[in-house]
Amino acid sequence: MKNPELIQKLENTIENIPDFPKPGIQFKDITPIFLNPKLYEDVIADLVSFSRGKVDAVCGIESRGYLFGIAVAVALEVPFILIRKAGKLPPPFISEKYELEYGSAEIEMRTGQIKPGQRILIHDDLLATGGTTEAAAKLVEKQGAEVAQFSFLIGLKELQGEERLKQFNADVHTILEY
Ligand code: AMP
């Protein structure tokens, strides 16, 4: 599944910004990918080949999960559902709170957009601790759907987010890891 050529191109493109937004955080800036349409296409092709034939819908996490997730869903010809930060969606919706390093956060999803029994891909740009993605998986399961896969451009290995996702499904794809 690993694509060494794509990994190399992404390593050369994604910018590491030390101590942003807080001291100690190595922020991975993916925005230079959008300056290179061919590279964007290659990222989508990689994500699509991981999920083809395996999912009935894609859920993307606000906001960078939308940038790739919608293109993946369109290529797979399946619906795309937005998972948003609290306070932005009109009702009806369901919510899930989760803990951050300091304090807590909440994400939401419109009800009725995913159907019971559907196989769902949860997608975001980056997997860090896995807290956000775990909350997203709970939203999916609360609606009677199955978390079938997770995909990310980047995984921050030492934070072990993948371990946290295995309770839902071990089919986790990260294009590259730091
Ligand atoms: P987590 O819930 O810890 O897995 O954090 C994942 C979310 O936070 C994703 O939506 C990422 O976009 C964002 N994020 C966390 N750490 C970083 C980082 N080092 N660089 C860029 N984005 C990050």
Side-chain angles (χ1 to χ4, degrees), residues 27 30-31 34 60-70 80 82-85 88 98 107 123-126 132:
F27 186 83
I30 53 148
T31 58
F34 307 113
I61 300 176
E62 183 169 357
S63 60
R64 279 166 281 164
Y66 302 163
L67 297 168
F68 304 92
I70 291 179
F80 179 80
L82 290 81
I83 294 177
R84 298 214 64 179
K85 289 169 184 155
K88 295 182 176 176
Y98 59 101
I107 52 172
H123 169 79
D124 202 356
D125 67 323
L126 184 144
T132 315

Side-chain angles (χ1 to χ4, degrees), residues 153-164:
L153 272 68
I154 301 166
L156 301 183
K157 223 173 174 172
E158 66 181 26
L159 297 177
Q160 297 185 326
E162 210 169 315
E163 289 307 310
R164 225 160 141 173

